[in-house]
């Protein structure tokens, strides 16, 4: 009885099979093998891989040989297909691996640059603090001028509140210059009150004499800029140059060269300034690392990248740095005072 059916051997369609004669009328094929009857078979076996028709008019042994040969060819072709697919997958995966490797290398190079840059800034700042006097004051004045310009440009571009009228541009520039002169006036006169009061009076008169009606928002933003960018940084001058009492317990002062001032160069103001700046830098560094690793809870909407977890890590780093440096400089002498000093430095940098 003639019929037409499909035979699949190891992913290869070996058919159509034509002129199949089988008296039993039962399926001749399983999933991966061909079950043959003892009787003679009369069909044409068409192999898709070799594109040749194999006539089969044989008994069981002959048919089995043809079957083994076709299955071996199918397995070889399937192995070739699998190897080809693996090569294609490797080609698709290799660019992703190369991109990840290049990104990792780029991040590593950026980290090295930041570390080198940070060390350079730290060494330069340490030298300026050690020099003290006018060197320290002029460097601080430059930093104050940059910060004041940034503040007033921020006020003019965005404003402190919505709908606020910013101060005129010439008033902002004059205030930036006044803020830069405040540290020098503090060092020269030894006090801050006179210079700040005079500067506030000049700025208020400039705002009142401008064309049009002055706004309270202009006066408040300008006064706050003078206080925040000019008045507060002057305390660094008071701390470094005002506390001239020698730090007698500091061991490094005994080995300090006489040409650089000797032991008298190491004053309480110098030690306090070094510990304060180092603690502030440590607080920012530890807060950044802690926020990256454990940050989940937002601290404030003003700075969306600050978290409570990073804040606590920064507090711990600030206090630990203060305690370690107090042991090195032998000031302050008590552990409780060193912890309190570190806490005050952290409070000043975060909430002042």
């Amino acid at each position: 009885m003639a019929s037409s059916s499909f035979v699949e051997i190891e992913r290869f369609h070996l058919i159509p099979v034509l002129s199949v004669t089988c008296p039993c009328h039962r399926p001749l094929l399983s999933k991966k093998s061909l079950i043959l009857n003892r009787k003679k078979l009369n069909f044409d076996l068409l192999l898709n891989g070799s594109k040749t028709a194999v006539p089969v008019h044989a008994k069981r042994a002959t048919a089995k040989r043809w079957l083994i040969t076709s299955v071996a060819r199918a397995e070889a072709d399937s192995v070739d297909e699998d190897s080809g697919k693996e090569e294609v997958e490797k080609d698709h995966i290799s660019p992703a691996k190369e991109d990840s490797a290049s990104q990792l290398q780029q991040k590593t190079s950026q980290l090295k640059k930041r570390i080198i840059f940070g060390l350079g800034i730290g060494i330069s700042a340490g030298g300026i603090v050690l020099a003290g006097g006018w060197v320290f004051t002029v460097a601080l004045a430059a930093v104050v001028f940059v910060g004041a310009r940034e503040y007033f440009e921020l006020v003019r571009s965005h404003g402190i509140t919505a709908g606020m009228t910013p101060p005129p541009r010439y008033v902002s520039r004059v205030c930036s210059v006044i803020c830069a002169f405040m540290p020098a006036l503090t060092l020269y006169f030894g006090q801050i009150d006179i210079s700040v009061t005079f500067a506030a009076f000049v700025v208020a008169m400039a705002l009142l004499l401008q064309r049009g009606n002055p706004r309270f928002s202009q006066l408040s933003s300008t006064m706050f800029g003078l206080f925040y960018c000019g008045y507060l940084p002057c305390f660094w001058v008071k701390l470094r140059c005002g506390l001239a009492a020698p730090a007698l317990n500091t061991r490094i002062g005994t080995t300090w060269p006489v040409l650089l001032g000797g032991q008298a160069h190491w004053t309480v103001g110098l030690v306090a300034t070094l510990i304060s700046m180092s603690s502030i830098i440590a607080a920012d560094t530890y807060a950044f690392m802690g926020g990256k690793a454990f940050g989940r809870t937002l601290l404030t909407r003003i700075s969306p990248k600050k978290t409570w977890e990073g804040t606590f890590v920064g507090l711990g780093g600030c206090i630990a740095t203060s305690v370690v440096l107090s042991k090195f400089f032998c000031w302050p002498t008590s552990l409780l005072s060193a912890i309190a000093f570190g806490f005050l430095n952290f409070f000043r940098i975060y909430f002042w």
Side-chain angles (χ1 to χ4, degrees):
M1 179 178 180
S3 62
S4 178
S5 60
F6 292 90
V7 180
E8 181 178 359
I9 298 178
E10 296 293 338
R11 303 181 186 176
F12 276 78
H13 296 282
L14 306 177
I15 341 287
V17 178
L18 302 176
S19 303
V20 178
T21 303
C22 182
C24 60
H25 303 287
R26 290 183 300 177
L28 300 179
L29 298 172
S30 65
K31 187 174 182 181
K32 290 188 178 181
S33 62
L34 181 63
I35 302 174
L36 301 177
N37 201 344
R38 292 179 179 275
K39 297 181 180 182
K40 293 183 180 180
L41 298 177
N42 185 16
F43 61 89
D44 294 335
L45 183 60
L46 179 62
L47 297 178
N48 190 23
S50 60
K51 302 295 183 181
T52 58
V54 181
V56 177
H57 301 282
K59 295 183 179 181
R60 181 179 179 183
T62 307
K64 186 182 292 186
R65 286 196 299 269
W66 284 109
L67 176 63
I68 294 172
T69 306
S70 61
V71 171
R73 292 178 181 176
E75 289 180 351
D77 293 337
S78 65
V79 171
D80 294 338
E81 287 183 359
D82 294 337
S83 61
K85 290 181 180 179
E86 291 179 357
E87 291 178 357
V88 172
E89 291 177 356
K90 289 181 180 179
D91 293 337
H92 286 292
I93 294 174
S94 58
K97 290 183 178 180
E98 290 178 358
D99 293 339
S100 61
S102 62
Q103 290 178 359
L104 180 60
Q105 186 177 3
Q106 185 177 3
K107 289 181 180 179
T108 304
S109 62
Q110 290 179 355
L111 181 61
K112 290 181 180 179
K113 291 180 180 179
R114 290 178 180 178
I115 292 174
I116 294 173
F117 182 76
L119 289 175
I121 293 294
I123 294 173
S124 301
I128 291 172
V129 173
L130 284 173
W134 284 103
V135 176
F136 177 79
T137 305
V138 171
L140 181 64
V143 175
V144 167
F145 178 76
V146 174
R149 285 294 303 271
E150 184 177 358
Y151 166 78
F152 285 107
E153 288 296 328
L154 180 65
V155 170
R156 286 192 54 83
S157 60
H158 299 286
I160 296 178
T161 59
M164 187 198 75
T165 303
R169 186 175 296 274
Y170 74 92
V171 174
S172 300
R173 293 177 178 177
V174 169
C175 289
S176 300
V177 175
I178 291 174
C179 290
F181 273 101
M182 282 186 182
L185 295 175
T186 302
L187 180 64
Y188 185 78
F189 291 106
Q191 55 185 359
I192 315 172
D193 301 334
I194 297 176
S195 58
V196 173
T197 305
F198 178 74
F201 175 78
V202 171
V203 171
M205 289 295 101
L207 290 174
L208 291 174
L209 295 177
Q210 68 174 340
R211 294 180 180 180
N213 296 326
R215 301 294 181 89
F216 179 76
S217 59
Q218 295 177 332
L219 183 63
S220 61
S221 61
T222 305
M223 292 297 122
F224 180 77
L226 289 175
F227 174 77
Y228 187 76
C229 300
Y231 179 75
L232 293 181
C234 292
F235 281 94
W236 285 109
V237 178
K238 295 287 290 183
L239 179 65
R240 171 62 184 92
C241 305
L243 296 177
L248 300 177
N249 296 326
T250 305
R251 298 176 183 177
I252 193 173
T254 58
T255 59
W256 194 252
V258 179
L259 296 177
L260 298 178
Q263 188 175 2
H265 182 77
W266 286 88
T267 60
V268 175
L270 173 59
V271 175
T273 304
L274 288 175
I275 296 177
S276 298
M277 289 188 172
S278 301
S279 301
I280 291 171
I281 295 173
D284 283 339
T285 305
Y286 280 100
F288 174 78
M289 295 173 62
K292 284 288 185 180
F294 311 106
R296 295 293 183 274
T297 308
L298 184 65
L299 177 63
T300 177
R301 294 182 179 179
I302 299 176
S303 183
K305 292 185 178 181
K306 289 185 178 181
T307 59
W308 280 105
E309 293 81 2
T311 301
F312 288 121
V313 174
L315 175 60
C318 183
I319 293 176
T321 304
S322 178
V323 171
V324 171
L325 291 180
S326 67
K327 296 298 182 182
F328 179 77
F329 291 114
C330 299
W331 187 94
T333 56
S334 65
L335 179 62
L336 185 61
S337 299
I339 294 174
F341 192 60
F343 180 79
L344 290 176
N345 285 322
F346 180 81
F347 181 80
R348 175 173 57 185
I349 190 62
Y350 259 74
F351 302 102
W352 198 0

